[in-house]
Amino acid sequence: MLLYESASRDLITAGLDAIEISLDGQSPKENNIIRRNCNYDTVVSNIKTLIACKKRLHSDIPQIFIASTQFLEPKSHSGHEDPKPPDYLLEEFSGEYASEIEGFKCTWAMRWPHMEVLDEIFDLYQEPGDSEIRNACDHVENTITIRWNGDVVACCYDLTSRYVLGSVNTDSLSEIFNNPLYLHLRKGISEQRFIPMCEACAVVKPKIFLILKP
């Protein structure tokens, strides 16, 4: 929503390698319901502005990915297939824009850790046959998540900064990644002694999907 032309120019000249923008559901209307305070038309216009800026500056970066969260239908879900990009997004970025989108990253909507599930909108559905409690998490081993204000949090699922591990405004990434809080987090996962934020996470606990009610 904030990807104005000036921001697009700044991202290109800064040398950002890739950017991923989320557009969810099976229609623009559904996207606007799922993404709070989002307007589909504004986001699409801003993506196309970014593409135009890249062309004017003769830049191949940032590569543009569209992430799309979809809601599975339990009756037709076999358990392991990934969702496909919805038709409205394929149509939106067809023609002259088709070669400008690096790819679509589609995932099923899952219950996010520590986030309230609105009963009037969603049902819950547990992955059949998944009862395993896991002791590994790629998020805390191979990625690092930095919020807008410089805070480093446990992972991208920590949308409300429940577990702040440090700040890039005061410490280096290496110092933060190896500080006592980070080490405690990783050790807890390896020993299955999860911090509260990880207790309902599908990475280490059985997967529970969100089903969008009619």
Side-chain angles (χ1 to χ4, degrees):
M1 287 294 289
L2 300 178
L3 191 61
Y4 308 127
E5 185 169 357
S6 59
S8 290
R9 288 197 305 270
D10 289 345
L11 291 176
I12 294 166
T13 57
L16 183 70
D17 292 310
I19 186 168
E20 186 174 308
I21 299 165
S22 295
L23 291 166
D24 299 332
Q26 288 292 317
S27 68
K29 180 180 179 181
E30 199 169 285
N31 172 79
N32 291 349
I33 292 171
I34 298 165
R35 290 274 162 186
R36 303 242 180 130
N37 298 319
C38 175
N39 181 278
Y40 172 81
D41 293 331
T42 299
V43 174
V44 168
S45 176
N46 288 344
I47 293 172
K48 293 178 178 180
T49 295
L50 173 60
I51 291 171
C53 284
K54 285 177 60 178
K55 290 180 177 179
R56 283 199 300 272
L57 295 174
H58 306 288
S59 177
D60 294 328
I61 57 173
Q63 293 180 320
I64 301 171
F65 294 87
I66 304 296
S68 186
T69 298
Q70 298 297 320
F71 295 89
L72 59 80
E73 294 287 342
K75 292 181 180 178
S76 60
H77 180 60
S78 64
H80 300 290
E81 75 277 13
D82 293 325
K84 294 178 173 56
D87 290 340
Y88 80 101
L89 289 181
L90 294 175
E91 182 178 349
E92 185 72 67
F93 296 104
S94 61
E96 64 179 299
Y97 297 108
S99 62
E100 305 296 334
I101 302 301
E102 191 69 22
F104 292 88
K105 298 182 179 182
C106 300
T107 56
W108 296 120
M110 292 188 294
R111 181 182 65 184
W112 282 51
H114 80 266
M115 298 297 287
E116 179 187 4
V117 176
L118 301 176
D119 293 336
E120 67 271 22
I121 300 178
F122 301 110
D123 282 325
L124 297 178
Y125 171 77
Q126 183 167 334
E127 178 76 80
D130 183 9
S131 59
E132 180 186 6
I133 308 298
R134 294 169 277 274
N135 65 348
C137 175
D138 184 70
H139 291 298
V140 302
E141 295 289 347
N142 296 308
T143 75
I144 195 162
T145 301
I146 306 170
R147 302 306 305 276
W148 66 273
N149 63 351
D151 284 349
V152 174
V153 294
C155 70
C156 60
Y157 293 160
D158 189 359
L159 297 177
T160 55
S161 300
R162 294 288 183 92
Y163 196 70
V164 177
L165 299 158
S167 172
V168 296
N169 296 317
T170 56
D171 297 299
S172 70
L173 289 178
S174 178
E175 289 170 330
I176 296 169
F177 198 68
N178 295 288
N179 70 19
L181 286 174
Y182 236 126
L183 295 175
H184 173 75
L185 172 64
R186 289 195 287 267
K187 183 178 180 181
I189 291 173
S190 68
E191 296 177 353
Q192 297 183 338
R193 293 185 293 103
F194 306 114
I195 64 170
M197 197 191 73
C198 299
E199 278 290 345
C201 180
V203 175
V204 294
K205 293 293 186 71
K207 292 181 180 178
I208 295 180
F209 297 100
L210 295 178
I211 308 299
L212 192 62
K213 291 184 175 180

